Amino acid sequence: MEQREVKVSVMGEEETRGLQSVFRQKTPSPFRPYVVLEFAVGAKQPAIEWMISKLQASESSGGADLEVSAVVMTFKKSESQTVLYIGAKNSRLLTAADMTGLSKIYKDNHYREFSIEDMANFKGIEDVDSFLTTAEKQKLILHEMEAVRASDEEDHIPGYDKIKLWTGKSILKKYLSRDIITKMYPLHEPEDLKKLGADWYQIKRIFKEQPIDDIRHYFGEKIALYFAFLGYYTIALIPPAFIGIIYFITSWQSMYREAIFAVFNLIWATIFLEVWKRYCSELSYRWGTIDMVSSTYDEPRANYFGTLGENPVTGKPEPVFPKWKRSFRFYCVTVPIVSVALGIAFYIMLGYFVMQEWADKKYASEKSWVNFSVLYLPTVIYAVLIGIVNSIYRKVAKKLNDWENHRLQSAYDNHLIVKLILFDFVNCFISLFYVAFYIQDMALLRSHLAALLITQQLIGQVQEAMVPFLFLTRRKKQVDASMKKQDALQKVEYFNGEVTEEVQKQAGMESEMEEYNGTMDDYLEMFLQFGYVFLFSSAFPLAALWALINNVTEIRSDAFKMVNIFQRPFAESASNIGAWQVAFELISIMAVMTNCALIGMNPEVRKLLPSDITAVNIVLIFVAVEHIILAIKVAVACLIPDQPKWVEIELAKIAYQSKLALQEKHYQVTSHKHVHRSESDKEKIDALLKEKSQ
C-alpha cells in the first residue's frame, strides 16, 4: 500500500484561536494520559470547548482540575473528530484519594483511609508516582470527571440548546447519554495485561488457582470478587457432581436414592454459601474494603439528579431528591409494570403447554414427517417469544431503575438485580414448577429440566469454544477499521501538548474493542444455573456435572475476553457480591420446599405411610420434614461464622488503634487549652472556698 502523508500540526502557545484559547494550563512533558474521551464526528465546537474548560477548571470554580490534551483529526469531506486524553498531577490524585476515602496500606500493615495530613505514615508514599496504582488513578479521574455537575445557571449544553441539563446532574453523563461523547475508556497497561493473561487463562493453568490478587490489582475489587465467586462455586459443584456420576453408572434404585441426594445438596448449598462469606471477608479485609463507610457518607452516583443541596454529614454540595418521590415511583409505577411483565411471561408459558398438547395429539393421530416437525414448533415459538419479551423487559427494567433515581450505586444495582431476578426466575423456572406440581409428571420434569439445562450449557460451550476464533476475526476487523480511519485521515492537530504516536495507536485499537458491561449478566447466568442444579436436584442428579463442565471452561473463556476482547473497565470497590448473596440464599431455601414436595409426591414414599392416612396429614408430615431440614440449614449457618476469628481480631485491633490515634490527636489539639482552663478553674475554686470560710 502506498504511504500517504498526513499533515501534523502542533499548536503553540502563541496561537490563541479555537480550542487553544480554552486551555487553562499547559500539560507537562512527557504527558501520561490515563483516560480517553472520544467526541462524536462533527460534534459542535462550543460543546467540546465547554467540556474541556470544565475538566481543566479548578474545584473551587466547579471543575475537575485535570490535565487535558486534545487531538483533532480531520478526515476526508472535512469531517473532524476530537479526542481528549485525560491525566492528572500527583497532587490532584492524592487530594481525590483523600476526599473519596481510598484505602491504602498504613505503616502498621493495615489498610486505612488515605489522609494527606497523615500521608507520611502510609507505605510507599516515598515514590509518589507509584503510590497509587494505575487502576486507582483511573478510578479517581473518573470520579472527578463525574463530579462536575450543572449549576442553576447552566440549563443546557452549549451548541445544543435543546439538550437541557438538570441542576446537579453530572455533565459528563449527559454528554455520554446524548452521544456527544461516544466513547470513554481507561487505557490498558500492555505489559501488565500480557503477564496477567499468561497467569490466568492459559491451557496449562486450567486446573490451577486464579490470580485473584492480580485481577483485583488490575481490574478492581468488584470484578475480582466475581471471578473469586465463580471459582469457589465451581469447586463446590464437585461433590454433587461426583455423587451424580455414581448414581448414573450404578443400578441402585430405591425410594431413598433421590431423598439422600436432595438432603445432601440442600445442606451442601448452605455450607458453600456460608464458607464463601468467610472467604469473601478474608479477601475484602486483605484488600481494605471490608469496613466501607456508611451510605450517608458515600458519594451519590453520577446519574443521580435533584435540586442542588448539601450532604448533612460531609457538608459537600450534592443533589437532593425526596425519598417519598422515589418510594411513590417504585410502589405505584415500577411494581405494577413488573407485575404485568411477570403475568405476560406466565401466560406465554401456559400458551406453550396448550400448543404442545395440540402438537402431541396431532402427531399421535398421524405420524408423518410434517406432523413430526409440528411437534417441535411450540418449543421454537416459545423460545423466540421468551427472547423477545426478555429483551423488551430488560430495557423497561433499566428505564424504570433510572427513573427511580437511587442515590447510591449499590442501591441502584440492587434494585436492578431484583427486577431482573424476578423476571428471569419466572421466565426460566415457571414451566418446571408447572410440570412438577400441576401436571405432576416426574418423567416429564426430568426430561424438561435436562433439556433446558443441557441445551443452555451446549449453546454456552459452543459460544465459549468460538471465542478465540471470534477474537481473531474481530481483531482483524479492528485493524481494518483502524487502517480505514488512518487512510481517511488528512490532518492531525495537537492542542495543549503532543500525545505520543504509541499512545495514539494504543487508543485507536482499544477504541474498536467491545465495551465491558459489568458483571450483572454473568451473575444472572450463575444464578439460573444454581437454580437448575439445586431447586429440582432430586429429579436430575446429573445437573451438577453439566454445570461443573460448563464452569471450568467459563472461567478461562471469561478471563480471555477480559484480557483480549473488552476495553478496560474502570475499577470499582466492593466488599462482597451484594444482593446476589441474598438471591443465592433464597434459592437454597426454596430448594428445601421444592425437593421435599417432590419426594412427598413420590408413590414409593407414599407406600410407607398408613393406607388410611388423609391428604392433610400427608402434607403436615412433609411440612414437618421440610422444617427439620430448614432448621438444620439454619444451625449450619449459625455454626459457620461469617468472618474468620483472625479477621475479627484484626478489625478489632484497627478499631482500637484508630480510637487511640483519635484520642491522641484530640489531646494534642486541646492540651494547650486545658492548661489555661485548669489554672482558671483552680483560681475559681480557691476564691469560692475563701468566701465560704469567711
Side-chain angles (χ1 to χ4, degrees), residues 494-656:
Y494 297 98
F495 295 84
N496 204 35
E498 186 170 355
V499 179
T500 64
E501 186 177 345
E502 182 182 357
V503 171
Q504 286 188 75
K505 280 185 178 179
Q506 180 186 347
M509 287 299 296
E510 291 181 22
S511 174
E512 300 299 325
M513 296 171 79
E514 288 185 20
E515 182 183 356
Y516 180 66
N517 292 319
T519 58
M520 186 78 69
D521 287 339
D522 295 319
Y523 275 120
L524 191 59
E525 181 183 341
M526 250 195 298
F527 170 79
L528 296 175
Q529 185 195 86
F530 188 83
Y532 285 131
V533 172
F534 290 98
L535 277 176
F536 303 96
S537 55
S538 59
F540 187 49
L542 279 178
L545 175 64
W546 284 100
L548 175 63
I549 294 170
N550 175 79
N551 288 2
V552 168
T553 55
E554 179 85 16
I555 292 172
R556 306 304 166 181
S557 61
D558 281 357
F560 181 87
K561 288 185 283 188
M562 290 299 301
V563 172
N564 295 291
I565 293 177
F566 294 126
Q567 292 174 349
R568 183 177 190 170
F570 285 99
E572 294 182 59
S573 298
S575 58
N576 50 55
I577 61 173
W580 291 109
Q581 179 77 36
V582 179
F584 280 90
E585 288 175 353
L586 286 174
I587 282 286
S588 73
I589 292 171
M590 289 187 65
V592 175
M593 304 173 190
T594 55
N595 282 283
C596 284
L598 287 174
I599 293 168
M601 291 188 302
N602 190 322
E604 295 297 322
V605 173
R606 292 201 175 186
K607 287 179 183 178
L608 293 175
L609 301 174
S611 58
D612 59 344
I613 192 170
T614 63
V616 173
N617 288 332
I618 292 174
V619 171
L620 290 175
I621 289 171
F622 285 99
V623 167
V625 172
E626 171 197 288
H627 279 64
I628 291 170
I629 297 174
L630 285 173
I632 295 172
K633 284 172 70 71
V634 171
V636 169
C638 293
L639 289 172
I640 303 175
D642 291 351
Q643 293 178 348
K645 189 67 177 178
W646 69 268
V647 173
E648 292 180 358
I649 292 171
E650 291 300 323
L651 289 175
K653 285 181 181 178
I654 293 172
Y656 178 68

Side-chain angles (χ1 to χ4, degrees), residues 104-120:
K104 299 296 291 182
I105 299 178
Y106 201 64
K107 63 181 181 181
D108 59 3
N109 290 322
H110 292 126
Y111 273 95
R112 293 193 185 181
E113 289 185 3
F114 178 75
S115 168
I116 289 178
E117 290 183 5
D118 195 28
M119 67 179 181

